[in-house]
Amino acid sequence: MGANDGEVYVLRPDEAGDTDDEAAWVSPQPVSRVVLGAVADAADADVDDFDDLDAYVDRDDLAAVLDGDADEITFAVEDHDVTVDADGDVDVDPAE
């Protein structure tokens, strides 16, 4: 779904399910929750400590990656570098 249509979603394993099972249930989750949740975990912070995802990345660019039009996108959220790839994987590293 493009950013102009509203929130961008990513398919993620169900948090309560077994993620090692090939038949594990996946469900669409708002990418803002997934990304900011990953940053909050890495920063030992609360999701509410951060601005809306739009303050850090253009949602159209992020949607292009998740739609497979680009391999990945990297952007800064506070003191962390965040990389999201076309599979919806989110990598968070402290900024150098």
Side-chain angles (χ1 to χ4, degrees):
M1 168 186 289
N4 290 337
D5 299 325
E7 176 69 74
V8 177
Y9 288 83
V10 62
L11 291 177
R12 304 287 291 186
D14 184 27
E15 294 172 3
D18 181 7
T19 58
D20 293 332
D21 184 356
E22 276 186 31
W25 182 261
V26 293
S27 60
Q29 297 178 16
V31 73
S32 58
R33 186 177 86 190
V34 172
V35 169
L36 295 178
V39 176
D41 288 346
D44 195 26
D46 190 82
V47 172
D48 295 331
D49 294 340
F50 303 103
D51 292 329
D52 187 66
L53 190 60
D54 291 334
Y56 307 109
V57 64
D58 182 284
R59 287 198 193 227
D60 287 332
D61 294 342
L62 186 54
V65 170
L66 296 172
D67 287 342
D69 296 334
D71 291 334
E72 66 182 28
I73 186 169
T74 300
F75 52 94
V77 176
E78 303 301 325
D79 296 328
H80 292 81
D81 292 327
V82 178
T83 301
V84 179
D85 69 18
D87 292 329
D89 294 325
V90 179
D91 184 44
V92 179
D93 293 308
E96 295 181 14

